[in-house]
Amino acid sequence: MAIVQQIVFLATLGIAGYLIRKRVLRIRGNILLGKDASITDRKDQRLKNMLLVAFGQKKMFKRWIPATLHFFIYAGFLIINLEVLEFIIDGLAGTHRIFAPVLGGAYNFLMNGFEFLAVAVLAACVIFLIRRNVLKLPRFHSAEMTRWPRMDANLILCIEIALMFAILFMNASDQLLQSRGHEHYTPTGPLFFSSFFMPVLQSLSTTGLEVVERFCWWFHIVGILGFSVYITYSKHLHIFLAFPNTYYATLEAKGHINNMPVVTAEVKSMLGLAPAPAAPAMPGRFGAKDINDLSWNNLMAAYSCTECGRCTSECPANLTGKRLSPRKIMMDVRDRMEDVGKSIEKGGPGLNDGKTLLGDYITKEEINACTSCNACVEACPVLINPLEIILELRRFQAMEESSSPQQWNSMFQNIETSFAPWKFPASDRFNWAK
Amino acid sequence: MNVTTMAEWAAKGETPEVLFWVGCAGSFDDRAKRVTLAFVKILNATGIKFAVLGTEETCTGDPARRAGNEFLFQMQAMNNIQVLNGYGVKKIVTACPHCFNTLKNEYPELGGNYEVIHHATFLQQLINDGKVKLAGGGSFKGRKITYHDSCYLGRANNIYEAPREVLQALDADLVEMKRCRTTGLCCGAGGAQMFKEPEPGKKDINIARTEEALATGANTIAVACPFCMTMMSDGVKNKEKEADVKVKDIAELIAEAEGL
Ligand code: SF4
Ligand code: SF4
């Protein structure tokens, strides 16, 4: 019997590993559709950002109640997963709680710690479900939060709750079996939180308890593995990608816009400040029309987005009813990557499917509504910069298509002819002093 | 009024301490010109040797870059840098947060390296150094002032306290809007929006922000940016509150308190 369980476990582990690997490679491939950008400077500062913002969740703590609850789920997720190590060894070797005799008293301490976290995670998930679905926080229900993003959020909370219950019931039945002197069940010492569930199971026979214990064990480990596959399709990828994303986030002042060196070379030669570039290095495109015109870190940012909507709820354009939503910009980039990736995987046309990010996913009306106020950038808990993407799309609009709004084209013309965005003669510039 | 251009200083063989970058709004917009004059009066009163570029100044290129026209931005930037470097300019002060941001953060990559200061910080330093002496709490006592954060000063460059300290020196009653500092709401003009009609929506951004400012009960809305000035003034007009509520640049308030 034991050997059957071991074989089934190995197979489960293998399937999960295969699926996760496939997804990770796809996501990596999708991100690498982006343009090269080497970000190798100021490593210390980047590391510090990552530790503070991703690991320490510094930006979340602007509002401390949701931050604390979120921190419980996050810490619970990280720490309880240490137990998965034991699960895997037990599953493969056919042992039970292999670390219990080795660690002795420390094991009991650890298990009680895990149980505390499990209860904290449970409570936090229930509160978050209420906040989303009963209190209906507006940012969880705006236009781009269509069925799937809303379900994604709820689903993950429900899965977490189920997994935590599984741990508690597993430990409760385990303790009962220990108390009945079942030799397979190594003593763990008393476990505080799960002992509250013992009365519910008390009346079961020993076989019944074994069934409950095994069921919970399997449910938990299969649940964790399933969860791992699932998050690669979900906004919950931020659990992992928040780390590289905060590391690679820009360190410049928020007001700084990335320079375009190709333009610099050209302008210098036009002004006679430098010889014309020998072979006019043709940039793929000025600005961005599709995901491959954005740099890889912009694309990774889209996969790191938690869809929390903190950006959109601070966006002046969105607040006053414009179409623009910085969260939607990130979700669109991600959707476009997924669509292109899927097509490539099936041997389809990929990027050349007749669609583009600007036009089919994001409209000009959206990008032209942005005031570049940086409220979204400031608000994002994982240092995503939707503004950078918006500006790249505007560059395409202005430089490749010359299709900026008419009034902007006039403004460009005024700067060209009278060196000011308004149509005043340049010679009048100093008249204020008269 | 005493305003000397860089060319005039150069002709005399002298170098001024600081260049006052006036900006397009400060040069051409009637309301912003009054701010320019107020700031010049303050500079003159302190006896600081300053210069302006006069007709040699041109748009920094900020609106072009934000609207996506990188070519035009860089053309402007390179030309300005040639002029600035030609005069050996080291230190620049400006009353426009957009010019400030571009000169400070975006010109270095193109070869223009200067110490760039916004007039909020500059005024704060003058007050701290005792170079600006305020007539002493008379006219401002009990006046309720609210400060509207400019995005390009605040979030873009982390300057939140300097303008507030300047206002505190007035001995007025400084009240904050609900959204302020890092969460301050934009006036609606940034990112080249100043130069076009807003996209369709339920409301104009400047109206939303003006409502927040009026809700504080302040009778003065202090700004530190010529675009914010336009947007907030239009908002106050739209709400038919021009008689009771004034929109003023921090330089104007200081000049007023100095009796200039
Ligand atoms: S920078 Fe643009 S997208 Fe971001 S909050 Fe401001 S207006 Fe909205
Ligand atoms: S971009 Fe940042 S703030 Fe906006 S939804 Fe994504 S994670 Fe939240």
Side-chain angles (χ1 to χ4, degrees):
Chain A
M1 181 57 199
I3 190 78
V4 180
Q5 279 200 41
Q6 278 166 264
I7 292 168
V8 175
F9 185 77
L10 185 66
T12 313
L13 204 59
I15 293 170
Y18 169 79
L19 291 174
I20 293 170
R21 182 172 176 276
K22 197 171 142 205
R23 261 308 275 176
V24 168
L25 288 178
R26 156 90 78 78
I27 291 168
R28 187 172 174 274
N30 287 352
I31 291 173
L32 292 180
L33 289 171
K35 279 200 301 206
D36 256 355
S38 100
I39 306 173
T40 51
D41 60 327
R42 291 174 274 180
K43 295 205 168 73
D44 294 351
Q45 213 177 328
R46 294 183 179 285
L47 208 61
K48 198 176 130 207
N49 264 353
M50 184 172 84
L51 288 176
L52 280 176
V53 180
F55 195 72
Q57 307 193 352
K58 179 177 151 208
K59 295 199 87 179
M60 287 291 287
F61 277 91
K62 280 193 236 166
R63 291 195 203 112
W64 68 272
I65 298 177
T68 311
L69 294 171
H70 181 267
F71 197 82
F72 274 134
I73 299 187
Y74 159 75
F77 173 84
L78 282 184
I79 298 170
I80 296 173
N81 275 345
L82 289 176
E83 204 184 351
V84 171
L85 184 66
E86 188 182 46
F87 271 73
I88 291 177
I89 298 176
D90 282 344
L92 291 174
T95 48
H96 182 73
R97 294 193 185 264
I98 189 160
F99 293 144
V102 189
L103 296 175
Y107 189 83
N108 176 263
F109 179 78
L110 271 179
M111 285 301 135
N112 272 306
F114 292 166
E115 285 200 350
F116 165 73
L117 281 171
V119 172
V121 169
L122 241 167
C125 287
V126 171
I127 295 171
F128 279 163
L129 274 175
I130 295 173
R131 193 163 78 125
R132 265 179 194 273
N133 302 294
V134 184
L135 302 181
K136 290 204 186 283
L137 226 61
R139 67 180 156 98
F140 296 140
H141 296 270
S142 35
E144 65 271 19
M145 293 307 278
T146 47
R147 252 185 83 199
W148 155 246
R150 275 197 236 179
M151 198 177 76
D152 181 17
N154 283 326
L155 209 59
I156 221 85
L157 291 169
C158 294
I159 298 176
E160 288 261 12
I161 291 173
L163 290 175
M164 295 306 120
F165 268 118
I167 288 197
L168 294 169
F169 272 95
M170 178 183 84
N171 286 354
S173 49
D174 198 313
Q175 285 183 80
L176 283 169
L177 287 162
Q178 292 168 31
S179 71
R180 292 183 194 175
H182 195 304
E183 58 179 26
H184 184 68
Y185 290 87
T186 328
T188 56
L191 301 174
F192 181 74
F193 289 101
S194 58
S195 63
F196 289 101
F197 295 92
M198 280 159 59
V200 190
L201 303 170
Q202 199 91 52
S203 56
L204 291 179
S205 66
T206 301
T207 324
L209 283 175
E210 276 184 89
V211 171
V212 172
E213 194 278 332
R214 280 295 86 193
F215 176 79
C216 289
W217 189 91
W218 276 98
F219 183 87
H220 188 71
I221 188 67
V222 173
I224 292 270
L225 293 172
F227 182 90
S228 312
V229 177
Y230 175 77
I231 57 170
T232 63
Y233 291 92
S234 137
K235 66 160 183 144
H236 292 85
L237 256 181
H238 76 267
I239 301 173
F240 300 106
L241 288 181
F243 290 86
N245 198 64
T246 48
Y247 181 87
Y248 289 111
T250 178
L251 299 174
E252 305 293 332
K254 289 196 186 70
H256 172 265
I257 291 182
N258 289 334
N259 193 38
M260 291 179 72
V262 248
V263 174
T264 309
E266 196 133 329
V267 168
K268 275 195 173 153
S269 85
M270 277 164 70
L271 295 175
L273 297 172
M282 273 316 284
R285 225 173 228 163
F286 290 121
K289 183 185 195 184
D290 211 342
I291 48 170
N292 58 327
D293 304 319
L294 294 168
S295 65
W296 66 270
N297 54 317
N298 290 146
L299 299 186
M300 184 176 68
Y303 273 123
S304 322
C305 175
T306 73
E307 295 174 14
C308 70
R310 282 177 174 78
C311 50
T312 296
S313 68
E314 296 287 338
C315 171
N318 191 275
L319 284 170
T320 53
K322 277 72 172 178
R323 280 257 163 77
L324 172 63
S325 159
R327 166 171 58 190
K328 178 178 172 291
I329 300 287
M330 302 316 297
M331 291 168 74
D332 285 340
V333 170
R334 182 185 174 134
D335 287 348
R336 176 67 184 150
M337 276 192 286
E338 282 292 306
D339 290 349
V340 169
K342 241 175 261 169
S343 164
I344 292 175
E345 202 169 65
K346 286 198 200 115
L351 282 163
N352 305 315
D353 61 353
K355 289 189 182 171
T356 49
L357 181 65
L358 181 62
D360 295 292
Y361 294 74
I362 300 173
T363 62
K364 290 186 178 166
E365 183 180 334
E366 294 168 58
I367 59 167
N368 288 334
C370 173
T371 71
S372 73
C373 73
N374 269 300
C376 52
V377 184
E378 179 73 43
C380 181
V382 292
L383 306 187
I384 291 172
N385 191 332
L387 176 56
E388 214 170 277
I389 296 174
I390 293 172
L391 289 168
E392 287 299 326
L393 298 171
R394 279 191 186 174
R395 280 174 169 172
F396 177 82
Q397 171 184 259
M399 292 192 282
E400 291 281 351
E401 288 193 322
S402 306
S403 63
S404 298
Q406 179 46 42
Q407 286 170 305
W408 275 356
N409 284 334
S410 311
M411 179 260 289
F412 296 153
Q413 227 167 39
N414 293 338
I415 295 180
E416 272 166 41
T417 54
S418 43
F419 310 114
W422 296 285
K423 207 177 180 63
F424 291 108
S427 52
D428 287 358
R429 187 176 275 271
F430 198 30
N431 288 0
W432 60 266
K434 282 188 185 146
Chain B
M1 197 182 28
N2 181 12
V3 201
T4 313
T5 61
M6 211 66 208
E8 288 161 355
W9 281 109
K12 283 193 278 180
E14 285 186 60
T15 339
E17 286 169 56
V18 62
L19 170 74
F20 171 30
W21 182 276
V22 183
C24 298
S27 304
F28 293 115
D29 180 274
D30 285 335
R31 182 67 188 86
K33 277 197 260 185
R34 300 204 329 247
V35 178
T36 306
L37 292 175
F39 189 58
V40 165
K41 281 183 197 159
I42 298 171
L43 289 174
N44 278 331
T46 56
I48 293 171
K49 275 166 72 179
F50 74 97
V52 296
L53 282 174
T55 49
E56 284 188 280
E57 189 185 286
T58 71
C59 176
T60 58
D62 158 89
R65 181 170 241 195
R66 268 126 199 107
N69 195 335
E70 183 73 7
F71 265 108
L72 186 53
F73 162 71
Q74 294 207 13
M75 287 294 279
Q76 288 302 116
M78 299 277 190
N79 280 321
N80 283 324
I81 289 169
Q82 274 185 296
V83 172
L84 291 167
N85 289 356
Y87 284 120
V89 170
K90 300 257 163 1
K91 188 171 170 183
I92 302 176
V93 62
T94 176
C96 173
H98 298 265
C99 296
F100 166 69
N101 177 68
T102 306
L103 292 166
K104 179 174 189 280
N105 296 320
E106 299 180 348
Y107 276 24
E109 277 169 307
L110 302 171
N113 293 288
Y114 322 102
E115 182 194 348
V116 188
I117 309 173
H118 185 260
H119 80 321
T121 313
F122 197 80
L123 289 171
Q124 181 207 15
Q125 286 168 1
L126 290 178
I127 293 169
N128 288 352
D129 298 349
K131 287 193 186 135
V132 163
K133 297 228 168 25
L134 302 177
S139 59
F140 283 92
K141 223 176 186 98
R143 221 162 109 181
K144 252 190 178 180
I145 301 184
T146 189
Y147 172 69
H148 163 74
D149 283 281
S150 147
C151 305
Y152 273 77
L153 209 52
R155 279 185 294 269
N157 288 291
N158 284 318
I159 298 177
Y160 299 107
E161 297 314 319
R164 289 183 167 80
E165 280 179 32
V166 170
L167 292 171
Q168 256 139 20
L170 294 172
D171 214 14
D173 183 8
L174 188 59
V175 284
E176 292 291 349
M177 291 182 243
K178 223 174 112 203
R179 289 180 225 261
C180 61
R181 294 192 170 84
T182 54
T183 55
L185 186 71
C186 177
C187 70
Q193 297 298 338
M194 183 70 194
F195 305 100
K196 76 168 186 39
E197 287 304 311
E199 304 305 303
K202 287 202 290 277
K203 198 187 242 183
D204 284 347
I205 298 174
N206 66 325
I207 304 294
R209 187 51 168 171
T210 305
E211 285 167 359
E212 296 185 353
L214 294 177
T216 62
N219 46 29
T220 303
I221 301 172
V223 296
C225 167
F227 294 165
C228 297
M229 170 69 85
T230 304
M231 296 310 257
M232 299 306 283
S233 302
D234 286 354
V236 171
K237 227 172 278 164
N238 178 283
K239 293 278 164 191
E240 297 177 352
K241 283 272 188 279
E242 310 120 282
D244 323 321
V245 180
K246 301 283 172 232
V247 185
K248 296 268 185 180
D249 188 272
I250 54 171
E252 292 179 304
L253 294 170
I254 292 295
E256 190 185 321
E258 274 192 290
L260 294 173

Short mmCIF file of all heavy atoms in Angstrom, two decimals, chain A residues 143-182:
data_model
loop_
_atom_site.label_atom_id
_atom_site.label_comp_id
_atom_site.label_asym_id
_atom_site.label_seq_id
_atom_site.Cartn_x
_atom_site.Cartn_y
_atom_site.Cartn_z
N ALA A 143 -13.59 49.19 -14.44
CA ALA A 143 -13.85 48.62 -15.77
C ALA A 143 -12.98 47.42 -16.14
O ALA A 143 -13.50 46.40 -16.61
CB ALA A 143 -13.69 49.72 -16.80
N GLU A 144 -11.65 47.54 -15.93
CA GLU A 144 -10.80 46.44 -16.41
C GLU A 144 -10.87 45.20 -15.52
O GLU A 144 -10.33 44.16 -15.86
CB GLU A 144 -9.35 46.91 -16.57
CG GLU A 144 -8.63 47.31 -15.29
CD GLU A 144 -8.83 48.78 -14.95
OE1 GLU A 144 -9.79 49.38 -15.49
OE2 GLU A 144 -8.05 49.32 -14.15
N MET A 145 -11.53 45.32 -14.37
CA MET A 145 -11.67 44.16 -13.51
C MET A 145 -12.87 43.33 -13.99
O MET A 145 -13.93 43.32 -13.39
CB MET A 145 -11.85 44.58 -12.05
CG MET A 145 -10.60 45.25 -11.47
SD MET A 145 -9.11 44.27 -11.67
CE MET A 145 -9.27 43.14 -10.29
N THR A 146 -12.65 42.67 -15.11
CA THR A 146 -13.70 41.86 -15.70
C THR A 146 -13.79 40.54 -14.93
O THR A 146 -13.17 40.39 -13.89
CB THR A 146 -13.37 41.59 -17.17
OG1 THR A 146 -12.01 41.18 -17.23
CG2 THR A 146 -13.54 42.86 -18.00
N ARG A 147 -14.54 39.59 -15.48
CA ARG A 147 -14.81 38.37 -14.71
C ARG A 147 -13.57 37.64 -14.25
O ARG A 147 -13.42 37.29 -13.09
CB ARG A 147 -15.71 37.44 -15.52
CG ARG A 147 -17.10 37.41 -14.91
CD ARG A 147 -17.97 36.41 -15.62
NE ARG A 147 -17.78 35.04 -15.15
CZ ARG A 147 -18.14 33.98 -15.87
NH1 ARG A 147 -18.67 34.13 -17.06
NH2 ARG A 147 -17.96 32.76 -15.38
N TRP A 148 -12.63 37.43 -15.18
CA TRP A 148 -11.47 36.61 -14.83
C TRP A 148 -10.59 37.26 -13.77
O TRP A 148 -10.29 36.61 -12.75
CB TRP A 148 -10.70 36.20 -16.10
CG TRP A 148 -9.25 35.90 -15.85
CD1 TRP A 148 -8.19 36.60 -16.32
CD2 TRP A 148 -8.70 34.84 -15.06
NE1 TRP A 148 -7.02 36.06 -15.87
CE2 TRP A 148 -7.30 34.98 -15.09
CE3 TRP A 148 -9.25 33.80 -14.30
CZ2 TRP A 148 -6.45 34.11 -14.42
CZ3 TRP A 148 -8.40 32.93 -13.63
CH2 TRP A 148 -7.02 33.09 -13.69
N PRO A 149 -10.22 38.52 -13.92
CA PRO A 149 -9.39 39.09 -12.84
C PRO A 149 -10.08 39.06 -11.47
O PRO A 149 -9.43 38.83 -10.45
CB PRO A 149 -9.17 40.55 -13.29
CG PRO A 149 -9.46 40.57 -14.73
CD PRO A 149 -10.42 39.47 -15.02
N ARG A 150 -11.40 39.25 -11.46
CA ARG A 150 -12.09 39.21 -10.17
C ARG A 150 -12.10 37.80 -9.61
O ARG A 150 -11.89 37.58 -8.43
CB ARG A 150 -13.54 39.66 -10.35
CG ARG A 150 -13.67 41.15 -10.30
CD ARG A 150 -15.10 41.51 -10.06
NE ARG A 150 -15.56 42.39 -11.14
CZ ARG A 150 -16.79 42.87 -11.21
NH1 ARG A 150 -17.69 42.53 -10.30
NH2 ARG A 150 -17.13 43.66 -12.19
N MET A 151 -12.34 36.83 -10.51
CA MET A 151 -12.39 35.44 -10.05
C MET A 151 -11.01 34.99 -9.59
O MET A 151 -10.87 34.30 -8.59
CB MET A 151 -12.89 34.55 -11.17
CG MET A 151 -13.39 33.21 -10.67
SD MET A 151 -14.03 32.26 -12.01
CE MET A 151 -12.53 31.70 -12.79
N ASP A 152 -10.00 35.41 -10.32
CA ASP A 152 -8.62 35.06 -9.99
C ASP A 152 -8.33 35.43 -8.53
O ASP A 152 -7.84 34.61 -7.75
CB ASP A 152 -7.69 35.83 -10.94
CG ASP A 152 -6.21 35.52 -10.70
OD1 ASP A 152 -5.92 34.51 -10.05
OD2 ASP A 152 -5.36 36.30 -11.18
N ALA A 153 -8.69 36.65 -8.17
CA ALA A 153 -8.42 37.12 -6.81
C ALA A 153 -9.18 36.30 -5.78
O ALA A 153 -8.62 35.86 -4.76
CB ALA A 153 -8.81 38.59 -6.70
N ASN A 154 -10.46 36.05 -6.05
CA ASN A 154 -11.27 35.30 -5.09
C ASN A 154 -10.83 33.85 -4.98
O ASN A 154 -10.78 33.27 -3.90
CB ASN A 154 -12.75 35.36 -5.49
CG ASN A 154 -13.36 36.70 -5.13
OD1 ASN A 154 -12.99 37.29 -4.12
ND2 ASN A 154 -14.26 37.18 -5.95
N LEU A 155 -10.50 33.28 -6.13
CA LEU A 155 -10.11 31.88 -6.17
C LEU A 155 -8.90 31.62 -5.28
O LEU A 155 -8.87 30.69 -4.49
CB LEU A 155 -9.78 31.52 -7.62
CG LEU A 155 -10.00 30.08 -8.02
CD1 LEU A 155 -11.46 29.72 -7.81
CD2 LEU A 155 -9.66 29.89 -9.50
N ILE A 156 -7.92 32.50 -5.41
CA ILE A 156 -6.68 32.30 -4.67
C ILE A 156 -6.95 32.38 -3.17
O ILE A 156 -6.39 31.62 -2.39
CB ILE A 156 -5.60 33.29 -5.15
CG1 ILE A 156 -4.26 32.59 -5.26
CG2 ILE A 156 -5.46 34.48 -4.25
CD1 ILE A 156 -4.05 31.90 -6.53
N LEU A 157 -7.82 33.29 -2.78
CA LEU A 157 -8.13 33.41 -1.36
C LEU A 157 -8.82 32.14 -0.86
O LEU A 157 -8.53 31.63 0.22
CB LEU A 157 -9.01 34.64 -1.11
CG LEU A 157 -8.32 36.00 -1.32
CD1 LEU A 157 -9.32 37.14 -1.31
CD2 LEU A 157 -7.26 36.24 -0.25
N CYS A 158 -9.73 31.60 -1.68
CA CYS A 158 -10.44 30.37 -1.29
C CYS A 158 -9.47 29.19 -1.21
O CYS A 158 -9.55 28.38 -0.29
CB CYS A 158 -11.57 30.08 -2.25
SG CYS A 158 -12.86 31.33 -2.17
N ILE A 159 -8.57 29.11 -2.19
CA ILE A 159 -7.60 28.00 -2.15
C ILE A 159 -6.76 28.08 -0.88
O ILE A 159 -6.54 27.07 -0.20
CB ILE A 159 -6.67 28.02 -3.39
CG1 ILE A 159 -7.48 27.84 -4.67
CG2 ILE A 159 -5.61 26.94 -3.29
CD1 ILE A 159 -6.65 27.95 -5.95
N GLU A 160 -6.32 29.29 -0.56
CA GLU A 160 -5.50 29.47 0.66
C GLU A 160 -6.27 28.99 1.88
O GLU A 160 -5.73 28.30 2.75
CB GLU A 160 -5.13 30.95 0.85
CG GLU A 160 -4.11 31.45 -0.14
CD GLU A 160 -2.71 31.48 0.45
OE1 GLU A 160 -2.51 30.89 1.53
OE2 GLU A 160 -1.81 32.09 -0.17
N ILE A 161 -7.54 29.38 1.95
CA ILE A 161 -8.35 28.98 3.10
C ILE A 161 -8.44 27.46 3.18
O ILE A 161 -8.22 26.86 4.24
CB ILE A 161 -9.75 29.62 3.01
CG1 ILE A 161 -9.64 31.14 3.23
CG2 ILE A 161 -10.70 29.01 4.03
CD1 ILE A 161 -10.91 31.92 3.00
N ALA A 162 -8.72 26.82 2.05
CA ALA A 162 -8.84 25.36 2.04
C ALA A 162 -7.53 24.70 2.46
O ALA A 162 -7.52 23.75 3.25
CB ALA A 162 -9.26 24.89 0.64
N LEU A 163 -6.42 25.23 1.98
CA LEU A 163 -5.12 24.65 2.32
C LEU A 163 -4.84 24.76 3.81
O LEU A 163 -4.30 23.84 4.43
CB LEU A 163 -4.00 25.33 1.53
CG LEU A 163 -3.96 25.04 0.03
CD1 LEU A 163 -2.88 25.87 -0.65
CD2 LEU A 163 -3.71 23.56 -0.23
N MET A 164 -5.21 25.89 4.37
CA MET A 164 -4.95 26.09 5.80
C MET A 164 -5.82 25.17 6.65
O MET A 164 -5.36 24.60 7.63
CB MET A 164 -5.18 27.56 6.19
CG MET A 164 -4.23 28.53 5.54
SD MET A 164 -2.49 28.10 5.79
CE MET A 164 -1.92 27.89 4.11
N PHE A 165 -7.06 24.99 6.24
CA PHE A 165 -7.92 24.04 6.95
C PHE A 165 -7.34 22.64 6.87
O PHE A 165 -7.37 21.87 7.84
CB PHE A 165 -9.35 24.06 6.39
CG PHE A 165 -10.24 25.03 7.12
CD1 PHE A 165 -10.82 26.11 6.46
CD2 PHE A 165 -10.49 24.87 8.49
CE1 PHE A 165 -11.63 27.02 7.14
CE2 PHE A 165 -11.31 25.77 9.17
CZ PHE A 165 -11.87 26.84 8.49
N ALA A 166 -6.81 22.29 5.70
CA ALA A 166 -6.23 20.96 5.54
C ALA A 166 -5.10 20.74 6.54
O ALA A 166 -5.00 19.69 7.17
CB ALA A 166 -5.73 20.78 4.11
N ILE A 167 -4.24 21.75 6.71
CA ILE A 167 -3.14 21.62 7.68
C ILE A 167 -3.69 21.38 9.08
O ILE A 167 -3.24 20.48 9.80
CB ILE A 167 -2.28 22.91 7.72
CG1 ILE A 167 -1.46 23.02 6.46
CG2 ILE A 167 -1.36 22.89 8.94
CD1 ILE A 167 -0.32 24.01 6.59
N LEU A 168 -4.68 22.18 9.45
CA LEU A 168 -5.19 22.09 10.82
C LEU A 168 -5.88 20.75 11.07
O LEU A 168 -5.67 20.11 12.10
CB LEU A 168 -6.14 23.26 11.10
CG LEU A 168 -5.43 24.63 11.11
CD1 LEU A 168 -6.42 25.77 11.11
CD2 LEU A 168 -4.47 24.75 12.30
N PHE A 169 -6.67 20.29 10.10
CA PHE A 169 -7.34 19.00 10.28
C PHE A 169 -6.34 17.85 10.23
O PHE A 169 -6.49 16.86 10.95
CB PHE A 169 -8.44 18.81 9.22
CG PHE A 169 -9.75 19.38 9.68
CD1 PHE A 169 -10.15 20.66 9.34
CD2 PHE A 169 -10.60 18.63 10.51
CE1 PHE A 169 -11.35 21.19 9.79
CE2 PHE A 169 -11.81 19.15 10.96
CZ PHE A 169 -12.19 20.43 10.60
N MET A 170 -5.34 17.99 9.40
CA MET A 170 -4.31 16.95 9.34
C MET A 170 -3.63 16.82 10.70
O MET A 170 -3.48 15.72 11.23
CB MET A 170 -3.29 17.32 8.27
CG MET A 170 -2.13 16.35 8.15
SD MET A 170 -0.94 16.93 6.94
CE MET A 170 0.02 18.06 7.95
N ASN A 171 -3.26 17.93 11.27
CA ASN A 171 -2.57 17.89 12.57
C ASN A 171 -3.49 17.39 13.67
O ASN A 171 -3.06 16.66 14.57
CB ASN A 171 -2.03 19.28 12.92
CG ASN A 171 -0.79 19.62 12.10
OD1 ASN A 171 -0.29 18.79 11.35
ND2 ASN A 171 -0.33 20.85 12.23
N ALA A 172 -4.78 17.76 13.58
CA ALA A 172 -5.73 17.30 14.60
C ALA A 172 -5.85 15.78 14.57
O ALA A 172 -5.75 15.10 15.60
CB ALA A 172 -7.09 17.96 14.38
N SER A 173 -6.04 15.22 13.37
CA SER A 173 -6.19 13.77 13.28
C SER A 173 -4.89 13.07 13.66
O SER A 173 -4.88 12.02 14.30
CB SER A 173 -6.67 13.36 11.89
OG SER A 173 -5.87 13.98 10.91
N ASP A 174 -3.78 13.69 13.28
CA ASP A 174 -2.48 13.13 13.62
C ASP A 174 -2.32 13.01 15.15
O ASP A 174 -1.91 11.97 15.68
CB ASP A 174 -1.38 14.02 13.03
CG ASP A 174 -0.03 13.31 12.95
OD1 ASP A 174 0.36 12.68 13.94
OD2 ASP A 174 0.62 13.39 11.89
N GLN A 175 -2.70 14.09 15.82
CA GLN A 175 -2.56 14.07 17.28
C GLN A 175 -3.44 13.01 17.92
O GLN A 175 -3.04 12.34 18.88
CB GLN A 175 -2.93 15.44 17.86
CG GLN A 175 -1.85 16.47 17.63
CD GLN A 175 -2.23 17.78 18.29
OE1 GLN A 175 -2.06 17.94 19.49
NE2 GLN A 175 -2.75 18.68 17.50
N LEU A 176 -4.66 12.84 17.39
CA LEU A 176 -5.54 11.80 17.93
C LEU A 176 -4.93 10.43 17.73
O LEU A 176 -4.95 9.58 18.62
CB LEU A 176 -6.92 11.88 17.27
CG LEU A 176 -7.81 13.03 17.78
CD1 LEU A 176 -9.03 13.19 16.88
CD2 LEU A 176 -8.24 12.75 19.22
N LEU A 177 -4.36 10.23 16.53
CA LEU A 177 -3.74 8.93 16.25
C LEU A 177 -2.56 8.69 17.18
O LEU A 177 -2.35 7.59 17.67
CB LEU A 177 -3.30 8.87 14.78
CG LEU A 177 -4.45 8.71 13.78
CD1 LEU A 177 -4.01 9.10 12.37
CD2 LEU A 177 -4.98 7.28 13.79
N GLN A 178 -1.78 9.77 17.42
CA GLN A 178 -0.66 9.63 18.37
C GLN A 178 -1.18 9.22 19.74
O GLN A 178 -0.63 8.33 20.39
CB GLN A 178 0.09 10.97 18.53
CG GLN A 178 0.85 11.42 17.30
CD GLN A 178 1.30 12.87 17.45
OE1 GLN A 178 1.55 13.34 18.54
NE2 GLN A 178 1.38 13.57 16.34
N SER A 179 -2.27 9.85 20.15
CA SER A 179 -2.78 9.59 21.51
C SER A 179 -3.31 8.16 21.62
O SER A 179 -3.37 7.59 22.70
CB SER A 179 -3.86 10.60 21.88
OG SER A 179 -5.02 10.32 21.11
N ARG A 180 -3.71 7.60 20.45
CA ARG A 180 -4.17 6.21 20.50
C ARG A 180 -3.01 5.24 20.34
O ARG A 180 -3.20 4.05 20.10
CB ARG A 180 -5.21 5.97 19.42
CG ARG A 180 -6.50 6.74 19.70
CD ARG A 180 -7.57 6.47 18.69
NE ARG A 180 -8.63 7.48 18.83
CZ ARG A 180 -9.67 7.55 18.03
NH1 ARG A 180 -9.82 6.69 17.03
NH2 ARG A 180 -10.59 8.48 18.22
N GLY A 181 -1.81 5.75 20.37
CA GLY A 181 -0.62 4.90 20.35
C GLY A 181 -0.34 4.25 19.01
O GLY A 181 0.32 3.22 18.92
N HIS A 182 -0.86 4.84 17.92
CA HIS A 182 -0.57 4.30 16.58
C HIS A 182 0.92 4.46 16.30
O HIS A 182 1.46 5.57 16.34
CB HIS A 182 -1.39 5.09 15.55
CG HIS A 182 -1.47 4.41 14.22
ND1 HIS A 182 -0.37 4.04 13.49
CD2 HIS A 182 -2.55 4.04 13.49
CE1 HIS A 182 -0.74 3.48 12.36
NE2 HIS A 182 -2.09 3.45 12.33
#
